[in-house]
Amino acid sequence: MRLSGPDKVATLLLAMGRPLAGKMLQQFDPTEIRSVTRAAADLRPITGDELETIIEEFAHKFAAGPNILGTVGELEKLLTNVLPPEQVAEIMSDVLGNTNRTIWERISAVSENLLATYLLKEHPQIAALILSKVKPACAAKVMGQMPPAVRNSLTRRMLTLKPIVEEAMRIVDKTLHEDFMLNFARNMGADTYTRMADIINKMERGHMEETLANLSESRPKVAEVLKSLLFTFDDIANISPRARMAIFDKVPAERIVVALKGTGPAFRDLILSSLASRSRRLVEHELSSGDPAPQREVLEARRAITDLALEMANNGDIELNADREDEAMFR
């Protein structure tokens, strides 16, 4: 199993010994210290060969050491050399509290949208196993985010799950901890990805595409999650007719006119079909004039409509799930 970044840092600190490791820890901020201490708590035995590989990766010339078994106690001793006793006590209390909670309890506290996105990329049998282990309320919310066919398939798989051998469950636990808990949900108290998606949604189109392209190269899994959470003006073509009507019922006709400037005929007709008769006649009349609008005004109008759609979805007034009858050919 590959070691995460915090695992490698914890390994090196434990290998350095107290004096040198203490000096290193002085350069860390409290969040980083917590992350490394948690990693030490869960660290499996590290062989001398693995230690040498880690050392080479950090471009240091250390001799290969003996097997290292990370413990919270060892790192607590290191912390006492560089931090006040009360801060050490606070960090250790936080770390031990999180260590004593099972991986399933921690996953159960994650946003159902984020967990559903993650599970949809996993093999259905693995997804069924994970859903069978989390809290029932969490599993119910997550399955509610799944397409009906996937939800029904997972239900059948969960009903026929066989007992899993202990070693296999340890692998699943470790993988979830590294691949999901560390990389996707560092801030379980606040949905970081949802907030980041909200920020990207409000960027200029060019900036949005540039940001996502950069993330796709450096952190492809993160980019996939963010893309699944984004909602742009073009995505209005993929929501249900009822949701579209609810959105445009709240949008002034003049804003709709500006937002539709430069759109294709199919997309334009789809939006016009969502308007009340009087608004539709007004919008069609204005669009028929063919007068251009500044690109900045067009983008602002589209962003205002997108923000309204997201706000209505957050309030539970509409759903933004894709409607397969209206595919992205309208883009």
Side-chain angles (χ1 to χ4, degrees):
M1 189 69 65
R2 291 184 59 185
L3 294 173
S4 68
D7 289 336
K8 294 175 183 178
V9 174
T11 300
L12 287 174
L13 287 172
L14 291 166
M16 288 178 187
R18 227 176 287 177
L20 184 55
K23 292 179 181 179
M24 293 290 294
L25 283 169
Q26 288 177 329
Q27 309 301 317
F28 291 14
D29 63 36
T31 301
E32 292 168 335
I33 292 175
R34 281 183 168 84
S35 177
V36 172
T37 306
R38 290 193 187 103
D42 296 328
L43 195 64
R44 60 174 173 76
I46 304 298
T47 66
D49 288 342
E50 288 176 309
L51 176 59
E52 186 174 3
T53 299
I54 294 171
I55 292 170
E56 289 176 357
E57 183 180 339
F58 282 85
H60 290 300
K61 294 181 180 179
F62 290 121
N67 287 0
I68 298 172
L69 176 61
T71 66
V72 179
E74 286 298 318
L75 210 53
E76 182 177 11
K77 293 175 183 178
L78 295 176
L79 295 178
T80 56
N81 289 339
V82 294
L83 297 176
E86 60 273 13
Q87 191 173 351
V88 174
E90 179 188 350
I91 291 174
M92 296 312 299
S93 174
D94 176 56
V95 169
L96 289 173
N98 278 282
T99 300
N100 290 334
R101 296 173 65 199
T102 69
I103 188 72
W104 307 112
E105 288 176 313
R106 282 179 274 172
I107 289 180
S108 296
V110 172
S111 158
E112 60 266 23
N113 290 329
L114 191 61
L115 185 52
T117 300
Y118 177 83
L119 293 180
L120 284 171
K121 294 177 174 60
E122 294 296 318
H123 188 282
Q125 196 68 12
I126 296 296
L129 173 61
I130 293 172
L131 287 171
S132 72
K133 293 292 184 180
V134 298
K135 293 181 179 179
C138 171
K141 290 179 180 178
V142 171
M143 292 180 73
Q145 303 293 318
M146 305 282 192
V150 176
R151 182 167 59 246
N152 294 336
S153 172
L154 289 174
T155 300
R156 292 192 295 270
R157 288 175 181 273
M158 291 168 70
L159 286 170
T160 56
L161 279 175
K162 298 291 191 288
I164 309 297
V165 297
E166 186 177 344
E167 181 60 29
M169 281 307 306
R170 275 201 297 268
I171 293 173
V172 172
D173 287 2
K174 185 68 173 175
T175 301
L176 282 172
H177 180 73
E178 292 180 347
D179 193 32
F180 187 80
M181 297 305 293
L182 290 179
N183 295 330
F184 285 81
R186 293 181 183 277
N187 244 330
M188 289 189 294
D191 193 339
T192 305
Y193 285 79
T194 299
R195 288 189 288 108
M196 195 64 231
D198 190 41
I199 292 172
I200 295 176
N201 259 324
K202 291 176 171 55
M203 289 180 175
E204 299 288 347
R205 182 72 186 211
H207 295 165
M208 174 193 292
E209 292 175 352
E210 180 184 352
T211 299
L212 290 173
N214 181 269
L215 274 175
S216 295
E217 292 178 3
S218 59
R219 302 184 69 184
K221 284 192 175 182
V222 172
E224 284 182 17
V225 173
L226 284 174
K227 286 177 183 177
S228 72
L229 296 174
L230 294 177
F231 183 81
T232 66
F233 184 70
D234 292 339
D235 291 324
I236 291 175
N238 299 327
I239 64 178
S240 69
R242 180 177 297 180
R244 275 197 302 273
M245 291 176 66
I247 293 169
F248 285 100
D249 188 51
K250 296 179 179 292
V251 182
E254 57 270 20
R255 179 170 291 165
I256 299 174
V257 171
V258 176
L260 289 179
K261 295 285 187 179
T263 57
F267 182 89
R268 183 177 296 188
D269 290 343
L270 184 69
I271 301 304
L272 289 173
S273 70
S274 304
L275 306 182
S277 298
R278 183 174 179 279
S279 294
R280 176 169 182 162
R281 287 195 298 271
L282 178 59
V283 172
E284 284 179 325
H285 174 73
E286 292 294 327
L287 288 173
S288 65
S289 68
D291 294 335
Q295 184 66 10
R296 178 180 57 81
E297 293 182 9
V298 172
L299 293 176
E300 287 177 355
R302 292 178 181 178
R303 187 177 298 113
I305 294 172
T306 301
D307 288 346
L308 173 62
L310 290 168
E311 181 182 350
M312 292 177 68
N314 289 335
N315 293 336
D317 299 329
I318 60 172
E319 290 185 1
L320 299 180
N321 294 333
D323 179 20
R324 294 304 175 188
E325 294 179 5
D326 300 320
E327 284 293 344
M329 63 181 181
F330 295 112
R331 299 187 175 201

